Amino acid sequence: MTKYGMASSQVSSVTSPESGGGSEIPNLGGNDSSPILITGHKLNGHNYLQWSQSVLLFICGKGKDEYLTGEAVMPETTEPGFRKWKIENSMIMSWLINSMNNDIGENFLLFGTAKDIWDAAKETYSSSENTSELFQVESALHDFRQGEQSVTQYYNTLTRYWQQLDLFETHSWKCSDDAATYRQIVEQKRLFKFFLGLNRELDDVRGRIMGIKPLPSLREAFSEVRREEVERK
Protein backbone atom coordinates (compact mmCIF):
# COMPACT_ATOMS: atom_id res chain seq x y z
CA MET A 1 0.00 0.00 0.00
CA THR A 2 1.10 3.54 -0.55
CA LYS A 3 1.34 5.81 2.45
CA TYR A 4 -1.97 7.55 1.83
CA GLY A 5 -5.12 5.66 1.13
CA MET A 6 -6.61 8.02 -1.44
CA ALA A 7 -3.43 8.26 -3.47
CA SER A 8 -3.24 4.47 -3.45
CA SER A 9 -6.84 4.04 -4.58
CA GLN A 10 -6.38 6.59 -7.34
CA VAL A 11 -3.38 4.79 -8.75
CA SER A 12 -4.68 1.25 -8.36
CA SER A 13 -8.06 2.09 -9.87
CA VAL A 14 -6.60 3.54 -13.04
CA THR A 15 -3.62 1.25 -13.51
CA SER A 16 -5.58 -1.99 -13.64
CA PRO A 17 -6.10 -2.83 -17.33
CA GLU A 18 -9.55 -2.23 -18.70
CA SER A 19 -11.10 -4.99 -20.68
CA GLY A 20 -10.57 -4.35 -24.34
CA GLY A 21 -8.51 -1.20 -23.75
CA GLY A 22 -6.97 0.10 -26.91
CA SER A 23 -4.35 2.60 -25.75
CA GLU A 24 -0.91 1.60 -24.53
CA ILE A 25 -0.38 2.46 -20.85
CA PRO A 26 3.18 3.43 -19.88
CA ASN A 27 4.99 1.71 -17.03
CA LEU A 28 6.18 4.51 -14.75
CA GLY A 29 7.80 2.20 -12.23
CA GLY A 30 6.71 0.98 -8.83
CA ASN A 31 3.50 -0.81 -7.84
CA ASP A 32 0.71 -0.56 -5.30
CA SER A 33 2.61 -2.55 -2.66
CA SER A 34 5.90 -0.63 -2.85
CA PRO A 35 5.60 3.15 -3.41
CA ILE A 36 8.64 4.76 -5.00
CA LEU A 37 10.83 6.81 -2.66
CA ILE A 38 11.66 9.59 -5.08
CA THR A 39 13.79 11.73 -2.74
CA GLY A 40 15.65 11.56 0.53
CA HIS A 41 14.46 15.12 1.26
CA LYS A 42 10.87 14.63 2.43
CA LEU A 43 9.00 17.92 2.59
CA ASN A 44 8.77 18.86 6.26
CA GLY A 45 7.79 22.52 5.99
CA HIS A 46 11.35 23.82 6.35
CA ASN A 47 13.20 22.35 3.37
CA TYR A 48 11.15 23.33 0.34
CA LEU A 49 14.14 24.25 -1.83
CA GLN A 50 15.94 20.93 -1.34
CA TRP A 51 12.69 18.98 -1.68
CA SER A 52 11.51 20.72 -4.84
CA GLN A 53 14.89 20.41 -6.55
CA SER A 54 15.26 16.70 -5.81
CA VAL A 55 11.65 15.94 -6.77
CA LEU A 56 12.01 17.88 -10.01
CA LEU A 57 15.17 15.96 -10.91
CA PHE A 58 13.37 12.65 -10.41
CA ILE A 59 10.25 13.59 -12.35
CA CYS A 60 12.26 15.18 -15.17
CA GLY A 61 14.27 11.97 -15.32
CA LYS A 62 11.02 10.10 -15.89
CA GLY A 63 10.13 12.54 -18.68
CA LYS A 64 6.96 13.66 -16.89
CA ASP A 65 7.77 17.23 -15.86
CA GLU A 66 4.99 18.53 -18.13
CA TYR A 67 2.55 17.38 -15.44
CA LEU A 68 4.15 19.87 -13.04
CA THR A 69 4.31 22.75 -15.51
CA GLY A 70 0.77 22.29 -16.81
CA GLU A 71 1.85 21.46 -20.34
CA ALA A 72 0.15 18.08 -19.99
CA VAL A 73 -3.40 19.40 -20.22
CA MET A 74 -6.24 17.11 -19.20
CA PRO A 75 -8.06 15.88 -22.32
CA GLU A 76 -11.81 15.58 -22.51
CA THR A 77 -13.01 12.38 -20.85
CA THR A 78 -14.25 11.11 -24.20
CA GLU A 79 -10.88 11.57 -25.93
CA PRO A 80 -8.58 8.56 -26.45
CA GLY A 81 -5.73 10.15 -24.51
CA PHE A 82 -7.73 10.71 -21.32
CA ARG A 83 -7.02 7.31 -19.77
CA LYS A 84 -3.25 7.68 -20.27
CA TRP A 85 -3.33 11.22 -18.82
CA LYS A 86 -5.35 10.05 -15.80
CA ILE A 87 -2.95 7.22 -15.03
CA GLU A 88 0.16 9.37 -15.30
CA ASN A 89 -1.34 12.29 -13.39
CA SER A 90 -2.46 9.98 -10.57
CA MET A 91 0.94 8.31 -10.36
CA ILE A 92 2.77 11.66 -10.15
CA MET A 93 0.31 12.88 -7.52
CA SER A 94 1.16 9.76 -5.54
CA TRP A 95 4.90 10.42 -5.96
CA LEU A 96 4.49 13.98 -4.69
CA ILE A 97 2.33 13.08 -1.69
CA ASN A 98 4.57 10.20 -0.68
CA SER A 99 7.58 12.55 -0.77
CA MET A 100 6.04 14.64 2.03
CA ASN A 101 5.75 14.10 5.76
CA ASN A 102 2.38 12.63 6.68
CA ASP A 103 0.99 15.77 8.29
CA ILE A 104 1.80 17.78 5.15
CA GLY A 105 0.85 15.20 2.54
CA GLU A 106 -2.62 14.75 4.01
CA ASN A 107 -3.45 18.32 3.02
CA PHE A 108 -3.00 17.49 -0.68
CA LEU A 109 -5.04 14.29 -0.94
CA LEU A 110 -8.11 15.95 -2.48
CA PHE A 111 -6.27 17.97 -5.12
CA GLY A 112 -7.18 17.19 -8.70
CA THR A 113 -3.88 17.32 -10.56
CA ALA A 114 -0.16 16.99 -9.95
CA LYS A 115 0.25 20.62 -11.03
CA ASP A 116 -2.24 21.73 -8.38
CA ILE A 117 -0.17 19.98 -5.70
CA TRP A 118 3.12 21.33 -7.06
CA ASP A 119 1.87 24.92 -7.21
CA ALA A 120 0.21 24.77 -3.79
CA ALA A 121 3.35 23.36 -2.16
CA LYS A 122 5.39 26.19 -3.66
CA GLU A 123 2.91 28.85 -2.57
CA THR A 124 2.68 27.42 0.95
CA TYR A 125 6.28 26.56 1.75
CA SER A 126 8.69 28.36 -0.59
CA SER A 127 8.60 31.99 0.53
CA SER A 128 8.15 31.85 4.30
CA GLU A 129 11.28 29.83 5.00
CA ASN A 130 13.71 31.08 2.36
CA THR A 131 15.14 33.96 4.37
CA SER A 132 15.87 31.87 7.46
CA GLU A 133 17.32 29.01 5.38
CA LEU A 134 19.55 31.40 3.46
CA PHE A 135 20.75 32.99 6.70
CA GLN A 136 21.56 29.59 8.20
CA VAL A 137 23.60 28.52 5.18
CA GLU A 138 25.46 31.84 4.99
CA SER A 139 26.21 31.69 8.73
CA ALA A 140 27.55 28.14 8.47
CA LEU A 141 29.74 29.10 5.51
CA HIS A 142 31.11 32.19 7.23
CA ASP A 143 32.63 30.19 10.08
CA PHE A 144 33.49 27.01 8.20
CA ARG A 145 37.14 25.89 8.17
CA GLN A 146 38.99 22.73 7.20
CA GLY A 147 39.99 21.80 10.72
CA GLU A 148 40.48 18.04 11.10
CA GLN A 149 38.89 17.24 7.75
CA SER A 150 40.86 16.13 4.74
CA VAL A 151 40.99 18.57 1.84
CA THR A 152 38.50 16.40 -0.05
CA GLN A 153 36.04 16.35 2.86
CA TYR A 154 36.42 20.10 3.32
CA TYR A 155 35.86 20.80 -0.39
CA ASN A 156 32.85 18.48 -0.62
CA THR A 157 31.19 20.12 2.38
CA LEU A 158 31.78 23.57 0.91
CA THR A 159 30.30 22.38 -2.38
CA ARG A 160 27.14 21.17 -0.65
CA TYR A 161 26.73 24.56 1.04
CA TRP A 162 27.23 26.34 -2.28
CA GLN A 163 24.72 24.08 -3.99
CA GLN A 164 22.18 25.05 -1.35
CA LEU A 165 22.91 28.73 -1.99
CA ASP A 166 22.46 28.18 -5.72
CA LEU A 167 18.90 27.02 -5.05
CA PHE A 168 18.12 30.51 -3.79
CA GLU A 169 19.27 32.12 -7.03
CA THR A 170 16.18 33.36 -8.85
CA HIS A 171 17.73 35.98 -11.13
CA SER A 172 16.23 36.39 -14.58
CA TRP A 173 19.09 37.71 -16.66
CA LYS A 174 18.21 39.81 -19.69
CA CYS A 175 21.75 39.57 -21.03
CA SER A 176 23.65 36.29 -21.21
CA ASP A 177 26.96 38.16 -20.89
CA ASP A 178 25.84 39.60 -17.55
CA ALA A 179 24.92 36.13 -16.33
CA ALA A 180 28.33 34.77 -17.34
CA THR A 181 30.12 37.66 -15.63
CA TYR A 182 28.12 37.10 -12.45
CA ARG A 183 29.04 33.41 -12.42
CA GLN A 184 32.72 34.32 -12.79
CA ILE A 185 32.46 36.66 -9.79
CA VAL A 186 30.76 33.95 -7.73
CA GLU A 187 33.41 31.42 -8.78
CA GLN A 188 36.24 33.72 -7.68
CA LYS A 189 34.62 34.42 -4.31
CA ARG A 190 34.21 30.70 -3.73
CA LEU A 191 37.84 30.12 -4.65
CA PHE A 192 38.89 32.68 -2.04
CA LYS A 193 36.61 31.07 0.54
CA PHE A 194 38.20 27.69 -0.18
CA PHE A 195 41.67 29.18 0.32
CA LEU A 196 40.73 31.05 3.50
CA GLY A 197 39.51 27.91 5.24
CA LEU A 198 42.53 25.74 4.49
CA ASN A 199 44.82 24.72 7.33
CA ARG A 200 48.09 26.59 7.85
CA GLU A 201 50.28 23.71 6.67
CA LEU A 202 48.86 24.27 3.17
CA ASP A 203 49.91 27.93 3.03
CA ASP A 204 52.70 27.21 0.53
CA VAL A 205 50.52 25.56 -2.10
CA ARG A 206 47.87 28.21 -1.57
CA GLY A 207 50.45 30.92 -2.21
CA ARG A 208 51.67 29.23 -5.39
CA ILE A 209 48.16 28.96 -6.77
CA MET A 210 47.35 32.57 -5.86
CA GLY A 211 50.38 33.62 -7.91
CA ILE A 212 49.01 32.08 -11.11
CA LYS A 213 47.57 34.58 -13.60
CA PRO A 214 44.79 34.19 -14.44
CA LEU A 215 43.63 32.32 -11.37
CA PRO A 216 42.69 28.68 -11.96
CA SER A 217 39.14 27.46 -11.53
CA LEU A 218 37.94 26.27 -8.14
CA ARG A 219 38.12 22.64 -9.23
CA GLU A 220 41.65 23.05 -10.55
CA ALA A 221 42.73 24.69 -7.30
CA PHE A 222 41.16 21.91 -5.25
CA SER A 223 42.92 19.28 -7.36
CA GLU A 224 46.29 20.97 -6.82
CA VAL A 225 45.80 21.36 -3.07
CA ARG A 226 44.67 17.75 -2.77
CA ARG A 227 47.81 16.56 -4.57
CA GLU A 228 49.92 18.56 -2.14
CA GLU A 229 48.12 16.99 0.80
CA VAL A 230 48.67 13.47 -0.58
CA GLU A 231 52.38 14.12 -1.12
CA ARG A 232 52.76 15.26 2.48
CA LYS A 233 51.42 11.98 3.85
Side-chain angles (χ1 to χ4, degrees):
M1 293 178 62
T2 53
K3 182 167 62 176
Y4 297 107
M6 182 169 291
S8 176
S9 63
Q10 281 182 315
V11 175
S12 60
S13 65
V14 296
T15 53
S16 57
E18 293 178 348
S19 58
S23 59
E24 181 181 351
I25 304 303
N27 180 5
L28 298 181
N31 54 55
D32 289 342
S33 62
S34 57
I36 296 176
L37 180 63
I38 69 174
T39 174
H41 297 281
K42 284 205 167 189
L43 183 62
N44 59 21
H46 304 284
N47 63 341
Y48 172 80
L49 288 172
Q50 291 87 348
W51 172 81
S52 61
Q53 185 72 6
S54 58
V55 166
L56 188 59
L57 284 172
F58 177 87
I59 293 179
C60 283
K62 293 291 185 179
K64 302 300 175 186
D65 49 301
E66 67 267 22
Y67 284 87
L68 302 182
T69 63
E71 296 173 70
V73 180
M74 182 179 72
E76 294 293 332
T77 57
T78 55
E79 293 181 10
F82 175 74
R83 173 171 156 76
K84 176 177 180 289
W85 178 91
K86 184 179 180 182
I87 290 174
E88 294 187 345
N89 177 69
S90 296
M91 181 65 77
I92 295 165
M93 287 177 64
S94 178
W95 288 346
L96 292 174
I97 291 172
N98 280 292
S99 70
M100 302 172 178
N101 284 354
N102 288 21
D103 57 334
I104 292 177
E106 288 170 354
N107 298 322
F108 296 98
L109 287 172
L110 298 180
F111 280 62
T113 68
K115 184 180 187 306
D116 290 341
I117 295 176
W118 185 249
D119 290 347
K122 180 178 181 180
E123 182 179 353
T124 305
Y125 297 107
S126 67
S127 59
S128 61
E129 299 296 335
N130 282 1
T131 301
S132 60
E133 281 190 63
L134 177 59
F135 179 78
Q136 290 173 9
V137 176
E138 291 283 13
S139 297
L141 265 174
H142 182 269
D143 299 323
F144 187 63
R145 299 292 185 272
Q146 179 186 352
E148 297 182 359
Q149 300 177 97
S150 68
V151 170
T152 298
Q153 291 171 327
Y154 167 62
Y155 174 79
N156 287 341
T157 303
L158 278 176
T159 299
R160 286 193 293 272
Y161 280 132
W162 288 328
Q163 287 173 342
Q164 290 181 53
L165 289 180
D166 288 341
L167 293 177
F168 292 94
E169 295 287 351
T170 57
H171 305 300
S172 297
W173 297 98
K174 295 182 179 179
C175 175
S176 59
D177 290 342
D178 289 344
T181 300
Y182 174 75
R183 293 309 306 172
Q184 289 174 357
I185 294 171
V186 170
E187 171 87 359
Q188 187 177 76
K189 286 184 176 181
R190 292 179 178 180
L191 176 62
F192 291 160
K193 172 60 186 176
F194 172 68
F195 284 151
L196 285 169
L198 289 171
N199 290 340
R200 295 291 298 274
E201 61 265 24
L202 295 169
D203 282 355
D204 288 345
V205 64
R206 176 173 58 193
R208 291 199 304 271
I209 297 173
M210 290 286 288
I212 299 174
K213 304 297 181 185
L215 283 171
S217 69
L218 176 61
R219 289 176 180 172
E220 290 170 338
F222 158 67
S223 180
E224 184 64 28
V225 174
R226 185 175 61 84
R227 277 196 295 269
E228 177 75 12
E229 180 188 52
V230 171
E231 290 174 0
R232 286 173 172 267
K233 292 182 178 179

